[in-house]
Amino acid sequence: MLSLDSRASSGKRLVLTWNIIHHLSTTDVWSEISDNGLEYHPIYDAGLERLSCAYCILAPDAALVLATRVCFALGLPIPTVYVDLERRIGHTFKPDQTLAGVVAAARMLDALDGPLTWRRGDAVRRHLGEEACRRWEQSLAFAA
């Protein structure tokens, strides 16, 4: 939970990283959000499990495809920009993976399933169920 940040620390400065919720499960985190009427980033409602760069090299393939579909749904040019960049510089996203392939997979899913859609609260709904989402929505409305 507490670790030394050796890159940011020096002889004059000690930098520690405190991962305050490191011990909590995903369900515990969403329960805290729901029970306390906390806001969260809407990208979680779209189905992504992490808030990060659209094309994070650490992301699993399914997350890359989903992030691409989110870009399509929001009308963002990110997929086209990165596929063009990959082509222009002559390097692929990963040694065994191209962003053109990721974008093609996302287009195929959109063609099969229709464009990606989501509603506010879908992340709470997915992790905790409809009743928890209803309580969360009520607590937000009460706070406003």
Side-chain angles (χ1 to χ4, degrees), residues 16-107:
L16 300 174
T17 300
W18 183 24
N19 297 304
I20 194 166
I21 65 169
H22 188 73
H23 66 286
L24 298 177
S25 70
T26 300
T27 300
D28 291 339
V29 171
W30 284 102
S31 292
E32 286 293 319
I33 290 168
S34 177
D35 293 348
N36 293 292
L38 302 175
E39 286 283 357
Y40 58 87
H41 196 283
I43 199 66
Y44 296 108
D45 288 328
L48 287 161
E49 295 296 322
R50 291 182 63 230
L51 177 60
S52 66
C53 300
Y55 295 127
C56 175
I57 61 166
L58 302 176
D61 293 349
L64 296 170
V65 172
L66 182 55
T68 303
R69 295 184 73 204
V70 169
C71 289
F72 293 163
L74 296 175
L76 300 175
I78 294 168
T80 303
V81 168
Y82 277 86
V83 168
D84 290 346
L85 176 66
E86 202 175 46
R87 189 176 308 118
R88 196 172 69 243
I89 66 173
H91 291 280
T92 59
F93 178 62
K94 295 181 184 178
D96 60 343
Q97 184 178 42
T98 66
L99 288 177
V102 170
V103 170
R107 288 195 196 291

